[in-house]
Amino acid sequence: MELFFKLKGKIKEKEVLEPWEMNIIDENAEYLGVKRIQLMENAGRAVYEEVKDFDGKVFIFCGTGNNGGDGFVVARFLGRGEVILLGKESEIKSYEARENYKILKNLSLFGSIKVREIKSAKEIEDVFQALREGKSLVIDAMLGTGQRGKLKEPYKSVVEELNKIKRENKELYIVSVDVQTGNLESDLTVTFHKRKSINKGKVVVKDIGIPKEAEYIVGYGDVRALKLVRGEHKGKNGKVLIVGGSKDYYGAPILAGLSALKVSDLVGIFSVDHVIRKVNYPELITYSVEGNYLCLKHLDYLLEVVKKYDVVVLGNGLGVNEETKEFVNSLIEKLNKVVIDADAIKLIDYENFKFKEGYVFTPHKKEFEYIKFELDELKSTILLKGKIDIIFNNESIKINKTGNVFLTKGGTGDILAGLVGGLLTKNSPFLSASAGAFIVGYAGDLLLKERSIYTPMEVIEKIPEVFKIFGV
């Protein structure tokens, strides 16, 4: 952890977050033990504190996600007003939001709070009319940081109508919860933890109890943030080429390839004859060249093959010699997306090497000593494997604590490199490295609960179960 704190002190802390980054932090706060229902309570209370002295009519527009759950809490603290749920109770997505909605329904029996469920904006013409007349407060808890693209109905029509009314009635005051829904013209946004890049106009940032550590831990949120496409044509989830192996090592590129197959549609292995003869998996596409080690004479053919793939995983079982060193340094400068592992890390000429954004290094402690870099220029991502993994570049740093002693066995590093390569076809280098480390470690932890010892192949077979657990 000493290295983590040393690096963390040199990396500038982000003051503004992208919505997807905040989603990860929310999830990872729960991974650290901070219950989501408590955060929802704190968020609703924070908004209440900003609007509690308003003396006009109150309308709270809520979506079916956690942003809506925050709105339910605001309504409870206010103890008055009309709550409009854009959807049905059965469509509320999370346990926390459902529990807070049940409370509102109970409170509505006493008449101070009204609750309505709508499918269409036409169902609340009376609300819109009331907003045109006199002093009114609208709480926008419709959509949060997870909103994407153009608004769908009934959100689109509700936002359009609210914007229209706001131009007509200067006594209408709109407060958004965390972020505005679409292009809603809010007077104030009460956002949580840190400002978001999509926040507009007047913004107040409220602390709702998310620990700072949630920004630096790899957890559930990183896995759920991954982009993976299920059930579509081959190639949609990317294509990975494993470049490695030698007369001395044949298992490493095979393990990397099988791991990559768990998230990619097509995986190839480019290696010498000795390795390719050992590939007894029809799912893996093979490219064979003569010789004991990959060297410069193989480069032209390899570069033609590389054109068919999105990501290269380089170094597994490659071997260390002068010919291979020339091969690695001539190849790597021509690649834009590559996972650099094992022997390739040792062979790079760092004095003449340019760290590209699409590069991910996956060294263990000894291999890490070979990498020479200045942190402020480190556009590449480094995943330093250890008892606690450290993932960093010049803008971000995290630690991963999943995994156990059996993941130090030969082959598990190759599995990690292959998985990160597969994720890299559709995701950022930093997220691919972070989530990859978590997934492999979590797979090992699941296996350790089942048996006292396990093999690298069993780790590969456990990867789909990890995705299923986290709904990816």
Side-chain angles (χ1 to χ4, degrees):
M1 288 297 287
E2 182 180 348
L3 177 62
F4 167 76
F5 289 114
K6 181 180 178 181
L7 293 168
K8 178 177 174 290
K10 296 180 179 179
I11 296 172
K12 186 177 180 181
E13 183 179 321
K14 294 181 179 179
E15 296 179 358
V16 179
L17 298 172
E18 296 298 326
W20 63 267
E21 290 178 303
M22 192 64 232
N23 290 340
I24 291 175
I25 292 168
D26 277 340
E27 294 261 12
N28 290 350
E30 187 169 44
Y31 175 59
L32 288 170
V34 181
K35 298 298 183 184
R36 190 181 291 270
I37 199 159
Q38 183 62 54
L39 295 178
M40 187 173 286
E41 183 78 3
N42 294 348
R45 180 64 182 259
V47 177
Y48 162 75
E49 292 293 338
E50 291 295 317
V51 301
K52 62 183 180 181
D53 295 327
F54 187 86
D55 59 359
K57 295 169 289 187
V58 178
F59 298 89
I60 304 172
F61 289 79
C62 298
T64 55
N66 282 329
N67 195 252
D70 296 341
F72 302 150
V73 176
V74 177
R76 170 160 51 84
F77 275 112
L78 284 171
R80 65 190 182 96
E82 185 162 349
V83 176
I84 298 104
L85 175 63
L86 280 68
K88 300 177 182 178
E89 181 178 2
S90 61
E91 296 169 342
I92 297 176
K93 296 179 177 66
S94 73
Y95 161 80
E96 295 81 9
R98 286 194 296 273
E99 288 299 298
N100 278 298
Y101 188 70
K102 288 176 185 176
I103 295 171
L104 279 192
K105 287 183 70 179
N106 289 333
L107 296 179
S108 69
L109 297 173
F110 296 90
S112 56
I113 297 175
K114 296 180 180 179
V115 179
R116 294 171 67 172
E117 299 175 9
I118 67 165
K119 294 181 181 179
S120 166
K122 293 180 180 179
E123 298 175 48
I124 50 171
E125 288 293 341
D126 59 318
V127 172
F128 295 138
Q129 185 57 40
L131 290 172
R132 291 185 178 93
E133 301 167 354
K135 193 174 183 180
S136 297
L137 169 67
V138 163
I139 302 292
D140 160 32
M142 291 182 278
L143 295 173
T145 53
Q147 58 185 291
R148 300 283 186 274
K150 295 181 179 179
L151 293 180
K152 298 178 181 178
E153 295 295 350
Y155 297 91
K156 180 176 180 291
S157 294
V158 169
V159 168
E160 287 175 351
E161 193 64 26
L162 289 176
N163 283 342
K164 182 180 177 182
I165 295 169
K166 183 160 182 59
R167 297 181 197 114
E168 298 171 358
N169 181 7
K170 301 303 179 184
E171 290 190 296
L172 172 59
Y173 190 69
I174 301 178
V175 175
S176 288
V177 177
D178 205 19
V179 296
Q180 294 110 315
T181 298
N183 64 341
L184 183 63
E185 297 169 10
S186 305
D187 295 282
L188 173 69
T189 298
V190 181
T191 198
F192 312 126
H193 189 63
K194 285 187 176 180
R195 188 179 180 118
K196 316 305 183 300
S197 63
I198 59 173
N199 287 149
K200 303 170 186 174
K202 185 179 179 182
V203 178
V204 60
V205 180
K206 292 287 189 176
D207 181 359
I208 60 169
I210 295 174
K212 181 69 70 175
E213 289 80 0
E215 297 183 35
Y216 299 106
I217 191 77
V218 181
Y220 313 146
D222 298 87
V223 180
R224 292 188 176 123
L226 291 170
K227 296 176 184 175
L228 292 176
V229 182
R230 303 297 187 193
E232 296 200 23
H233 62 78
K234 284 189 178 297
K236 198 74 174 179
N237 270 317
K239 296 170 279 189
V240 178
L241 180 65
I242 313 296
V243 179
S246 62
K247 75 176 183 67
D248 305 311
Y249 309 103
Y250 68 85
I254 296 174
L255 287 172
L258 292 173
S259 179
L261 269 174
K262 295 302 180 183
V263 289
S264 301
D265 292 332
L266 293 170
V267 177
I269 295 181
F270 186 102
S271 192
V272 295
D273 294 335
H274 175 77
V275 173
I276 298 304
R277 285 195 295 269
K278 301 288 187 178
V279 181
N280 296 317
Y281 297 90
E283 312 97 298
L284 297 171
I285 303 165
T286 56
Y287 304 90
S288 180
V289 293
E290 295 180 351
N292 293 322
Y293 301 94
L294 292 173
C295 58
L296 278 177
K297 68 180 181 181
H298 305 133
L299 187 60
D300 289 342
Y301 176 37
L302 173 57
L303 290 175
E304 286 301 311
V305 173
V306 165
K307 293 176 183 177
K308 303 175 184 178
Y309 292 85
D310 304 305
V311 170
V312 169
V313 177
L314 175 65
N316 311 90
L318 199 59
V320 179
N321 58 67
E322 284 302 313
E323 282 192 341
T324 306
K325 183 175 182 178
E326 289 180 331
F327 166 81
V328 166
N329 285 287
S330 297
L331 168 65
I332 204 163
E333 66 182 19
K334 297 175 174 65
L335 302 176
N336 293 316
K337 274 191 172 185
V338 57
V339 177
I340 303 163
D341 189 47
D343 292 335
I345 294 171
K346 304 173 187 176
L347 294 171
I348 290 173
D349 175 12
Y350 290 99
E351 288 186 6
N352 300 299
F353 181 74
K354 183 178 180 181
F355 288 93
K356 295 183 183 178
E357 189 175 338
Y359 292 174
V360 177
F361 289 78
T362 54
H364 54 58
K365 185 177 179 180
K366 284 291 185 182
E367 292 165 345
F368 180 64
E369 294 174 2
Y370 285 87
I371 305 174
K372 308 301 178 186
F373 64 90
E374 295 293 333
L375 183 59
D376 60 341
E377 298 176 356
L378 186 65
K379 293 183 178 180
S380 304
T381 295
I382 295 179
L383 193 179
L384 175 55
K385 298 174 289 193
K387 186 176 181 180
I388 293 179
D389 306 314
I390 303 175
I391 306 98
F392 67 96
N393 55 32
N394 62 350
E395 294 184 344
S396 303
I397 186 166
K398 284 192 172 189
I399 60 170
N400 171 59
K401 63 185 185 70
T402 62
N404 52 71
V405 66
F406 292 107
L407 288 173
T408 61
K409 285 185 176 182
T412 53
D414 304 306
I415 292 169
L416 177 58
L419 181 64
V420 172
L423 297 175
L424 186 57
T425 64
K426 295 297 177 186
N427 300 278
S428 73
F430 190 82
L431 179 60
S432 299
S434 300
F438 183 93
I439 292 164
V440 171
Y442 201 90
D445 291 340
L446 289 176
L447 285 166
L448 193 59
K449 290 177 181 178
E450 298 172 2
R451 63 204 75 175
S452 59
I453 193 169
Y454 56 84
T455 67
M457 282 297 294
E458 289 175 310
V459 175
I460 293 173
E461 293 309 313
K462 207 70 173 175
I463 290 172
E465 184 176 332
V466 179
F467 284 121
K468 185 176 180 181
I469 288 170
F470 297 110
V472 179

